[in-house]
Amino acid sequence: MKGPAFKRWLALGAYAALLAGCETMPSGLSSALSGLGGGGSSGSGVASGVQNVMQGASAAFKDYSPQEERELGSGFASVLLGARPLLRDDELQRYVNRVGLWVAEQTDPRKDGQGRPVHYDWRFGVIDSDAVNAYATPGGYVFVTKGLLRTLNSEAELAGVLGHEITHVLHGHYLSAVRKGGFAQMAGGIVEARSGNSQLSGAMVNMVRNLYARGLDQSDEYDADRYGTLWAARAGYAPAGLMQSLRAVAGGSAQDANYQLLLATHPPAQERIARLEPLMGGKFSGTGGATNAQRYLAMRRVLR
């Protein structure tokens, strides 16, 4: 993504950073932030799963420096936006950036091989597509579609979705998919092309398209659900936001073209909800939080 459109997006991100401001953490949340594990057999299972995820993330990042990860993500983003551009609505783009940047501020930082925190230059955008979906790329690009925004009903739901996508970046899920798919050499070509300001070849573009059409491992999606819920709760949103967003899309039909890719690349919404419910009754039990439904619905009115 080059030229005026890219500069415009950078300006939106910078403006959103100024808007993020300070929020207060809802009472009762501190106990939920001690981790996603906990007492009892189910807690130990979650803790073990978290350890496996972090080991997998470490392996995924092993082949890429933070700069290379950003270059790869830039290539991925250019393919996604080449298929469907950003929606031309500055106010809506600023709004989604504001929510996304604030949620991203609540995450646990990833560290590089020398133990130094890795800083992401997060960019959030709304794609002008009626499809119901959200995407992330390595390096910190996160997109939601116009169709998804129409489906959601509160800012807390949006925050949960963005937290889910942020987790895909932080835990290296797409980098892992590149390796498992045997695309490491092709990904290296994308990094080289982007660092040299060159165009991606047709084969590289097809690789990225195939990666998103194939989707991530189900375990990565469940991991992103758990942590996305946590990041949104830390940001002061109602923890059930992501689960409610899943209920909002659960009625989508595989016969509806706007839902086909989402349903084909993610576990069933009801299964994802079932896995989040114990957290709502456990770690997040009694935790309050904002939904900001009226503000969200007012913003959503601009969508056609």
Side-chain angles (χ1 to χ4, degrees), residues 212-266:
Y212 285 98
R214 179 183 300 182
L216 299 169
D217 289 350
Q218 290 198 354
S219 59
D220 291 341
E221 298 295 350
Y222 295 134
D223 173 59
D225 284 346
R226 292 194 301 271
Y227 278 91
T229 297
L230 177 61
W231 309 144
R234 281 181 175 177
Y237 291 104
L242 178 59
M243 193 165 67
Q244 289 166 347
S245 78
L246 293 172
R247 291 195 177 106
V249 302
S253 168
Q255 307 307 314
D256 185 338
N258 289 329
Y259 282 88
Q260 285 176 355
L261 184 59
L262 175 69
L263 297 179
T265 56
H266 289 75

Side-chain angles (χ1 to χ4, degrees), residues 69-84:
E69 187 188 348
R70 285 191 289 271
E71 298 291 358
L72 184 61
S74 174
F76 280 26
S78 70
V79 173
L80 290 171
L81 295 180
R84 287 284 185 173

Side-chain angles (χ1 to χ4, degrees), residues 87 89 91-92 146 297-304:
L87 183 70
D89 188 307
E91 186 177 5
L92 184 63
K146 179 175 66 176
L297 294 175
M299 186 62 63
R300 197 183 70 176
R301 292 193 191 103
V302 305
L303 299 174
R304 296 179 176 85

Side-chain angles (χ1 to χ4, degrees), residues 75-301:
F76 280 26
S78 70
V79 173
L80 290 171
L81 295 180
R84 287 284 185 173
L86 290 172
L87 183 70
R88 290 185 173 275
D89 188 307
D90 289 357
E91 186 177 5
L92 184 63
Q93 298 286 0
R94 281 194 293 267
Y95 172 71
V96 172
N97 265 272
R98 178 184 179 180
V99 176
L101 287 169
W102 179 237
V103 173
E105 282 290 319
Q106 317 309 315
T107 62
D108 296 329
R110 181 173 72 84
K111 296 184 178 180
D112 64 15
Q114 285 70 48
R116 297 170 299 194
V118 175
H119 299 287
Y120 285 92
D121 189 17
W122 294 101
R123 292 288 181 266
F124 299 86
V126 180
I127 293 178
D128 191 1
S129 169
D130 291 326
V132 178
N133 217 334
Y135 309 93
T137 83
Y141 294 84
V142 175
F143 303 101
V144 292
T145 63
K146 179 175 66 176
L148 177 62
L149 292 184
R150 285 198 198 108
T151 305
L152 303 182
N153 295 294
S154 75
E155 194 173 295
E157 293 180 22
L158 174 62
V161 169
L162 295 177
H164 174 102
E165 298 301 326
I166 287 167
T167 304
H168 284 320
V169 178
L170 292 176
H171 291 185
H173 292 158
Y174 278 104
L175 297 180
S176 179
V178 165
R179 173 183 287 144
K180 291 177 181 177
F183 299 131
Q185 184 174 357
M186 191 74 71
I190 293 176
V191 171
E192 185 176 354
R194 299 307 288 183
S195 61
N197 201 26
S198 301
Q199 295 293 322
L200 303 187
S201 69
M204 293 175 184
V205 170
N206 286 335
M207 183 275 282
V208 176
R209 289 174 176 168
N210 289 337
L211 197 64
Y212 285 98
R214 179 183 300 182
L216 299 169
D217 289 350
Q218 290 198 354
S219 59
D220 291 341
E221 298 295 350
Y222 295 134
D223 173 59
D225 284 346
R226 292 194 301 271
Y227 278 91
T229 297
L230 177 61
W231 309 144
R234 281 181 175 177
Y237 291 104
L242 178 59
M243 193 165 67
Q244 289 166 347
S245 78
L246 293 172
R247 291 195 177 106
V249 302
S253 168
Q255 307 307 314
D256 185 338
N258 289 329
Y259 282 88
Q260 285 176 355
L261 184 59
L262 175 69
L263 297 179
T265 56
H266 289 75
Q270 293 299 341
E271 174 61 24
R272 295 170 66 185
I273 291 169
R275 288 172 179 253
L276 286 175
E277 283 177 339
L279 287 177
M280 298 302 108
K283 288 292 181 182
F284 294 110
S285 178
T287 300
T291 63
N292 294 343
Q294 290 185 337
R295 180 163 67 183
Y296 180 84
L297 294 175
M299 186 62 63
R300 197 183 70 176
R301 292 193 191 103

